[in-house]
């Protein structure tokens, strides 16, 4: 795999970037909604009695989102055979999580546990991303896409309107989600976030959907 990665640098970079872009397209809107409306989301799905864990949910979502953003970098390290490095980073993250839980839980309770886990996941992701760039020295690898992030965050300004709804239900939640999704898509187009590869993938998806419908 290492030889293949070295012989096909452009293919590795293209696949790496495409995976990270599509991760952002799909995951960032969901994360934005859950982070801005954690209590409402918990109450809607599990009931009012669980809303005490709203902040813990928001913190964990941020940590998990960043952690999963490093998955492509992990696969790249596997291609280079850096399994010992991955193991070392995982062990460091686990140890950091234990230490931070020991410090923060007595002070902050469940929120401290969430903060400890999110911090450990963030540290693990950063080490994996930096290591991947060190192993694959050719330029072009991209993990963060500011235009996609901006398109996901800006429409979130409409979400707090749900807090004023007297009896929030699935209909109101879905309706606001549709408004958010529409604004998100329009901003993606306005910011020119879509690449030519994205358009090609979109056309393939549409053609398959049409084929199944026929």
């Amino acid at each position: 795999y290492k030889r293949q990665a070295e012989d096909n640098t452009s293919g590795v970079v293209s696949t790496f970037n495409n995976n990270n872009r599509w991760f952002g397209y799909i995951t960032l809107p969901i994360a934005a909604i859950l982070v801005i409306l954690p209590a409402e989301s918990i109450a809607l799905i599990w009931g009012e009695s669980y809303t005490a864990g709203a902040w813990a949910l928001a913190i964990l979502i941020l940590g998990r989102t960043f952690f999963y953003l490093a998955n492509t970098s992990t696969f790249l390290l596997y291609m280079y055979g850096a399994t010992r490095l991955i193991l070392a980073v995982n062990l460091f993250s686990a140890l950091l999580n234990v230490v931070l839980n020991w410090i923060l839980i007595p002070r902050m309770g469940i929120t401290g546990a969430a903060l400890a886990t999110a911090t450990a996941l963030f540290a693990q992701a950063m080490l994996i991303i930096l290591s991947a760039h060190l192993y694959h020295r050719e330029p072009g690898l991209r993990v963060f896409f500011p235009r996609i992030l901006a398109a996901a965050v800006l429409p979130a300004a409409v979400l707090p309107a749900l807090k004023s709804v007297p009896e929030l239900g699935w209909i109101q939640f879905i309706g606001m989600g549709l408004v958010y999704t529409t604004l998100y898509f329009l901003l993606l187009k306005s910011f020119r976030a879509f690449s030519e590869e994205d358009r090609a993938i979109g056309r393939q998806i549409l053609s398959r959907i049409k084929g199944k419908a026929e």
Side-chain angles (χ1 to χ4, degrees):
Y1 291 112
K2 180 179 179 181
R3 178 62 61 85
Q4 293 176 359
E6 293 172 346
D7 293 342
N8 188 20
T9 300
S10 60
V12 170
V13 171
S14 177
T15 302
F16 185 93
N17 293 346
N18 287 340
N19 286 343
N20 285 332
R21 267 201 318 276
W22 279 89
F23 174 85
Y25 289 144
I26 297 171
T27 305
L28 289 180
I30 299 173
I33 292 173
L34 293 177
V35 168
I36 292 176
L37 299 173
E40 291 75 13
S41 301
I42 288 178
L44 191 63
I45 299 173
W46 292 290
E48 292 285 346
S49 58
Y50 293 94
T51 55
W55 276 108
L57 174 65
I59 293 170
L60 282 174
I61 287 170
L62 289 174
R64 279 287 173 186
T65 301
F66 195 82
F67 171 75
Y68 287 126
L69 188 61
N71 276 354
T72 311
S73 298
T74 302
F75 295 143
L76 186 62
L77 289 175
Y78 276 122
M79 289 182 64
Y80 280 97
T83 53
R84 292 183 180 179
L85 173 62
I86 295 172
L87 175 61
V89 172
N90 290 344
L91 290 175
F92 169 77
S93 176
L95 179 60
L96 179 62
N97 193 12
V98 171
V99 172
L100 290 177
N101 271 287
W102 182 70
I103 295 172
L104 295 177
I105 288 178
R107 294 170 171 80
M108 303 173 65
I110 187 174
T111 303
L115 183 59
T117 300
T119 302
L121 291 174
F122 179 86
Q124 181 177 359
M126 282 301 302
L127 290 173
I128 289 293
I129 291 170
L130 293 174
S131 299
H133 280 75
L134 289 175
Y135 271 82
H136 191 88
R137 295 183 178 275
E138 296 296 327
L141 294 180
R142 296 190 62 188
V143 177
F144 306 103
F145 295 86
R147 296 180 183 181
I148 301 176
L149 178 60
V153 171
L154 290 178
V158 305
L159 296 176
L162 281 175
K163 296 177 182 290
S164 61
V165 177
E167 294 184 5
L168 178 63
W170 281 105
I171 295 177
Q172 294 87 344
F173 199 87
I174 292 173
M176 189 61 72
L178 291 175
V179 172
Y180 172 89
T181 302
T182 301
L183 293 174
Y184 172 59
F185 181 76
L186 291 175
L187 283 175
L188 286 175
K189 290 183 67 68
S190 177
F191 294 158
R192 298 180 180 179
F194 296 115
S195 68
E196 187 56 41
E197 291 89 346
D198 296 332
R199 297 186 183 93
I201 293 172
R203 287 192 292 268
Q204 291 177 3
I205 293 173
L206 289 176
S207 64
R208 291 184 179 181
I209 293 174
K210 291 179 180 178
K212 290 181 179 180
E214 295 175 355

